Amino acid sequence: MSQGTIVKVSGPLVIAEGMRDANMFDVVRVSDQKLIGEIIEMHGDRASVQVYEETAGLGPGEPVVSTGVPLSVELAPGLISNIFDGIQRPLEEIMKAVGTNITRGIDISPLDKSKKWLFEPVVKKGAKVKAGDIDVCMLQKWPVRKGRPYKQKLSPDAPLVTGQRVIDTLFPLAKGGVAAVPGPFGSGKTVVQHQLAKWADAEIIVYIGCGERGNEMTDVLLEFPELKDPRTGESLMNRTVLIANTSDMPVAAREASIYTGITIAEYFRDMGYSVALMADSTSRWAEALREMSGRLEEMPGEEGYPAYLGSRLAQFYERAGKVISLGTEGRVGTLTAIGAVSPPGGDISEPVTQATLRIVKVFWGLDASLAYRRHFPAINWLQSYSLYQDRLDKWMNENVSREWSSIRISVMRILQEESELEEIVRLVGVDALSIADRLTLEVAKTIREDYLHQNAYHEVDTYSSLHKQYRLLKLIMLFHSKGKKAIDEGATIKQLFNIHVRERIGRAKYIPENEVDTVYDEIETELNNQIDDLISKEAE
């Protein structure tokens, strides 16, 4: 154990000398208040310490003591449904001990060691076990900056079903994949993250509020216990771990919260679970890196961010994946990482967004203009992309419908054509378009308003199964194909647009899951009959 003294305090950065025996990334206790910090730079016997608590009132001469171990988290039963701060202090236990304000230097065990858990051995006495086997250790301490080991990394090949139509249909994310959700203030990043945390097809959710506003974390803390998991019928908190690091907490703790969250997620991945991690937002973590880099007087990179910004982001996202765990049985687990990015003014050319896009394989670009039109989720279908598309199309064709990929391609083509036709409409007006082009615009409008638009607060529309998505999209595309035929047979565009069944198609997304096949079959029959009647009248 090494002990030194403070020589300089600059916000969350403390410089201590006499720390020759300490190591990089050692956890230290600063001053007599025992504030928790981490060594992030060493020069001879001088250590630069990133302090994860408020440093007001600290001064030269106060002690800094190294614990000799890196920043680690406790991994054991009791993590699920718990709420921690960025350095894994249990917030509910802190509130019981000291009230609503976290006292500086408070030291409470992350997990309740007095709680008893049912233990059922899975091996017999005398059996040989090795690292990764289930019974080796009940409580582990793991350094957060070091990824947990595994036997083999596999290629993600199945979708993380989210129940959000624009995501699952157009820009799917694979289990074990990585995605970014960039968007300006007010475009719905947090709502998208909340929807994914609520409905994503994952057995464990780790939600990191990294520098979030307090009211947004409050929404999570109030909503999640009340919501029911659609698969189990129990509270969503029974499969969730929350890391709460709000914007009024010390800036340095943002980095710790990111690493704490992904280490906990890896722990559950190693058990063979499907884990989804939400980080909201990585931009605030990057801002913390920029502040610490500036205080360390490092050479700045683009826009003042440190030159190592890209490598830090890559180290975080690369810990996602589909893996075979260590151990005799080799459990297969997945860790999917979804990071929200908050570019100032929505400018995705800024360094954090660009560094993130070079790493992730799914880009859900949020659009302020869509948000202003009250179109949510405000994911821009012309800018977003998924590099998992081809392999997931194969899965969808095999598990949902053989028509899935062909329908999806047709939908994307119509939305692209709409964008090109809108340029013409702005110049010469809609009357200059051909009847076929006007039909394309109308079908694109139906796709946007009746399919891609989804109400997160509607009890039915908040979640759509893949089967419901396929049936709804098939209805819309049936109107497109039958409409073309009707126009070819001489029907007018006004007659086609005024058929009564269109109103039922517009309301079809509000049909409960257990009624989808019955009601959608009725709508499909009605659509065929009404357009056939239109064609027969024109033939007369």
Side-chain angles (χ1 to χ4, degrees), residues 50-240:
Q50 179 171 258
V51 183
Y52 294 129
E53 301 183 68
E54 179 58 55
T55 59
L58 296 188
E62 294 193 64
V64 175
V65 181
S66 170
T67 62
V69 294
L71 184 66
S72 303
V73 290
E74 289 189 358
L75 303 172
L79 288 169
I80 296 290
S81 77
N82 224 323
I83 305 161
F84 301 102
D85 72 355
I87 46 179
Q88 209 197 8
R89 293 182 299 190
L91 294 180
E92 287 192 40
E93 295 304 314
I94 289 175
M95 187 177 72
K96 289 176 189 174
V98 297
T100 53
N101 292 320
I102 301 176
T103 306
R104 291 200 295 178
I106 190 166
D107 188 10
I108 293 181
S109 173
L111 300 171
D112 183 358
K113 306 294 195 310
S114 64
K115 193 169 184 179
K116 295 187 183 296
W117 298 91
L118 178 65
F119 174 70
E120 293 181 1
V122 295
V123 292
K124 294 180 180 177
K125 184 177 179 181
K128 288 187 178 180
V129 293
K130 59 182 181 180
D133 283 349
I134 291 173
D135 270 15
V136 170
C137 189
M138 188 173 184
L139 171 67
Q140 304 172 27
K141 285 198 172 185
W142 193 266
V144 297
R145 291 179 181 271
K146 181 182 176 185
R148 287 172 62 85
Y150 48 81
K151 191 180 293 181
Q152 182 185 351
K153 201 161 198 175
L154 306 173
S155 178
D157 56 4
L160 181 77
V161 180
T162 66
Q164 310 308 300
R165 292 186 291 268
V166 65
I167 291 174
D168 292 341
T169 303
L170 302 186
F171 314 110
L173 172 60
K175 280 186 180 177
V178 286
V181 194
F185 177 79
S187 60
K189 288 186 301 299
T190 300
V191 173
V192 169
Q193 291 270 44
H194 288 192
Q195 284 296 93
L196 297 177
K198 290 174 194 173
W199 308 120
D201 179 26
E203 292 157 311
I204 304 289
I205 300 293
V206 178
Y207 190 96
I208 307 169
C210 179
E212 275 207 79
R213 290 177 293 278
N215 62 320
E216 291 177 353
M217 278 311 299
T218 303
D219 286 344
V220 175
L221 299 177
L222 292 177
E223 275 186 42
F224 277 36
E226 301 297 322
L227 290 167
K228 286 192 173 149
D229 185 333
R231 291 170 301 168
T232 65
E234 297 180 1
S235 166
L236 274 179
M237 279 302 291
N238 290 351
R239 64 171 181 136
T240 305

Side-chain angles (χ1 to χ4, degrees), residues 98 138 192 214 227 274 297 336 351 359 367 377 391 396 399 401 405 411 420 429 431 444 540:
V98 297
M138 188 173 184
V192 169
L227 290 167
S274 165
E297 299 177 2
T336 310
I359 302 159
D367 189 332
R391 71 182 75 165
M396 296 288 200
N399 293 276
S401 168
S405 59
V411 166
E420 294 164 3
D431 293 334
E540 293 170 4

Side-chain angles (χ1 to χ4, degrees), residues 4-16:
T5 54
I6 296 175
V7 293
K8 178 183 175 183
V9 179
S10 174
L13 177 68
V14 166
I15 309 294

Side-chain angles (χ1 to χ4, degrees), residues 407-467:
I407 289 179
R408 181 191 59 76
I409 290 167
S410 299
V411 166
M412 287 301 292
R413 187 183 300 120
I414 288 170
L415 292 171
Q416 186 65 49
E417 287 175 9
E418 179 198 36
S419 144
E420 294 164 3
L421 291 171
E422 281 178 340
E423 293 288 328
I424 299 171
V425 170
R426 277 194 286 268
L427 290 172
V428 294
V430 72
D431 293 334
L433 297 179
S434 67
I435 293 178
D437 285 344
R438 290 181 68 180
L439 175 62
T440 298
L441 283 181
E442 190 67 17
V443 172
K445 181 183 175 185
T446 302
I447 292 169
R448 286 189 286 102
E449 296 181 358
D450 302 334
Y451 189 81
L452 299 181
H453 180 277
Q454 193 165 354
N455 188 345
Y457 300 102
H458 189 281
E459 60 179 357
V460 173
D461 196 35
T462 187
Y463 178 89
S464 283
S465 67
L466 292 180
H467 177 67

